[in-house]
Amino acid sequence: MRTLTGLQPSGKLHLGNYFASIKPMIDRQNSSDDEMFIFIANYHAMTSLNDAKSLKANTIEAAAAFLSLGIDPNRSTFWVQSDVKDVLELYWILSQLTPMGLVERAHAYKDKVAKGLEANHGLFSYPILMAADILLFNADKIPVGKDQIQHVEIARDLALKFNNTYKEIFTLPKADIAQDLATIPGTDGAKMSKSYKNTIDIFSDAKTLKKQCNSVVTNSTPLEEPKDWQSCNIYAIAKLFLNEKELGNLQDRYAKGGEGYGHFKAYLNELVWNYFAPARDKFDYYMNNQNEIIEILNEGGKKAQKISNETMEKVRDFVGIY
């Protein structure tokens, strides 16, 4: 069984990235027999980032973050998307099988354009490149948030189309979603996203983290009165870090009253800071030893390329590419 995930190096990692994608992947890496494929999606990042210097720096920073949070290159295949050029060739071949209506219905494109991103072909054809990422490695399971389910379904549709048109070589992927973590709330209660500027970042300094936690939107319930934890954005984020007993204790604090939202924001700040303390130390090490990062990525790229070559030899033969 193969599990694949990719994350764009389009900025600093936040709690949404971690709990919706990275943590489930690390847990699976450490506790299952799945073959793990994890890549940094720098081609995808070009849909929202067109500064060369920033893209290069973000790619290295993302690799350092992945490694610091627990990705083990000895147990997973870990690489940068652009190190496996076969993905672009497969993207083009799949494009010949993609009905316009299939991508025209993609809600992620419409959402991003509505939020101000330029309506270009790269953004429009994003789902086809994502399908190539998935099908190139014949991945069975794709851990995604709710907003990416449709893209996995498109990959499945294209796998079926190719298999029926030529020969059955592609695995039909399935979206793998932890329902309780499908959408991680941001500081405003909407989905946590860099685009919405509502993130709590993993590797920020203490001052920035405190500022982000203090920016969580709350209501105006007076300090002495009980508060509704079920509708509280602070609680919705804090619960990601807590076990059942700790959740019960926090709920009791809300119900009791006598604490203002400032107290709960300080508590959230403490939770995040302490949870990621070991990862911050590793992150600092890798950022000061970037040659080690490059070496790890190069080795991962070779492993990924070997598998992609096997797939593309068959694909080229079936479609008639000499």
Side-chain angles (χ1 to χ4, degrees):
M1 190 73 71
R2 286 181 175 174
T3 298
L4 177 143
T5 195
L7 191 69
Q8 291 190 34
S10 52
K12 296 185 182 300
L13 291 182
H14 54 71
L15 300 187
N17 300 139
Y18 178 73
F19 283 104
S21 180
I22 300 172
K23 186 178 185 299
M25 183 61 92
I26 293 168
D27 290 344
R28 189 175 281 118
Q29 168 193 268
N30 296 337
S31 62
S32 78
D33 294 326
D34 285 6
E35 290 183 85
M36 310 302 295
F37 291 78
I38 305 164
F39 68 95
I40 299 171
N42 58 338
Y43 282 142
H44 286 295
M46 293 176 71
T47 61
S48 57
L49 182 63
N50 57 14
D51 179 75
K53 186 176 179 180
S54 295
L55 182 57
K56 289 177 182 178
N58 287 357
T59 300
I60 291 295
E61 186 173 320
F66 269 55
L67 293 167
S68 302
L69 291 167
I71 295 303
D72 183 349
N74 295 313
R75 302 178 71 174
S76 298
T77 301
F78 177 51
W79 77 101
V80 176
Q81 186 183 28
S82 60
D83 280 344
V84 180
K85 305 299 183 186
D86 288 337
V87 72
L88 296 180
E89 185 176 4
L90 183 56
Y91 158 75
W92 180 249
I93 291 171
L94 292 176
S95 294
Q96 316 315 309
L97 298 172
T98 306
M100 285 296 293
L102 188 64
V103 283
E104 285 173 344
R105 290 191 295 272
H107 56 72
Y109 169 77
K110 297 173 185 176
D111 291 346
K112 289 180 179 178
V113 171
K115 291 179 177 68
L117 286 181
E118 182 182 354
N120 58 40
H121 178 265
L123 190 63
F124 181 71
S125 63
Y126 181 109
I128 309 173
L129 181 56
M130 182 170 169
D133 292 322
I134 294 167
L135 301 183
L136 186 61
F137 298 97
N138 279 301
D140 300 280
K141 295 185 290 187
I142 316 299
V144 290
K146 285 182 178 179
D147 59 323
Q148 290 286 320
I149 294 174
Q150 187 184 40
H151 288 170
V152 179
E153 291 172 346
I154 289 173
R156 187 179 179 89
D157 289 343
L158 293 179
L160 280 167
K161 188 84 177 283
F162 187 98
N163 290 349
N164 291 333
T165 302
Y166 297 105
K167 191 171 182 179
E168 192 165 326
I169 64 168
F170 288 131
T171 299
L172 304 185
K174 292 183 179 180
D176 186 18
I177 304 165
Q179 291 299 330
D180 57 335
L181 297 176
T183 301
I184 306 302
T187 55
D188 57 356
K191 178 193 173 186
M192 188 173 289
S193 169
K194 289 182 282 286
S195 301
Y196 302 160
K197 298 181 180 178
N198 65 351
T199 64
I200 294 178
D201 299 332
I202 295 172
F203 295 109
S204 59
D205 57 57
K207 183 178 179 180
T208 302
L209 178 62
K210 183 178 180 180
K211 182 178 179 180
Q212 290 176 336
C213 289
N214 284 340
S215 71
V216 177
V217 176
T218 58
N219 60 39
S220 56
T221 304
L223 183 149
E224 65 276 3
E225 291 187 14
K227 293 161 186 67
D228 181 14
W229 56 267
Q230 291 177 304
S231 63
C232 180
N233 293 325
I234 304 170
Y235 179 89
I237 301 171
K239 71 179 183 180
L240 298 167
F241 298 90
L242 303 176
N243 59 36
E244 189 173 344
K245 181 179 178 181
E246 291 166 335
L247 279 174
N249 291 337
L250 183 56
Q251 291 169 15
D252 290 343
R253 288 174 60 186
Y254 272 83
K256 185 178 179 181
E259 290 186 271
Y261 285 113
H263 294 95
F264 294 117
K265 290 178 179 181
Y267 175 63
L268 175 63
N269 180 80
E270 183 181 356
L271 283 176
V272 178
W273 183 259
N274 291 339
Y275 184 91
F276 291 109
R280 276 197 308 277
D281 291 339
K282 292 178 183 178
F283 181 77
D284 290 342
Y285 169 81
Y286 279 117
M287 290 304 292
N288 288 316
N289 294 273
Q290 295 187 16
N291 285 340
E292 287 190 30
I293 299 175
I294 294 169
E295 203 173 304
I296 289 169
L297 293 175
N298 286 342
E299 288 302 310
K302 290 175 185 176
K303 287 168 63 178
Q305 185 73 58
K306 183 178 179 180
I307 296 169
S308 74
N309 284 344
E310 294 173 358
T311 302
M312 287 309 300
E313 282 180 11
K314 297 175 184 176
V315 171
R316 293 186 194 106
D317 182 47
F318 296 149
V319 302
I321 297 296
Y322 176 72

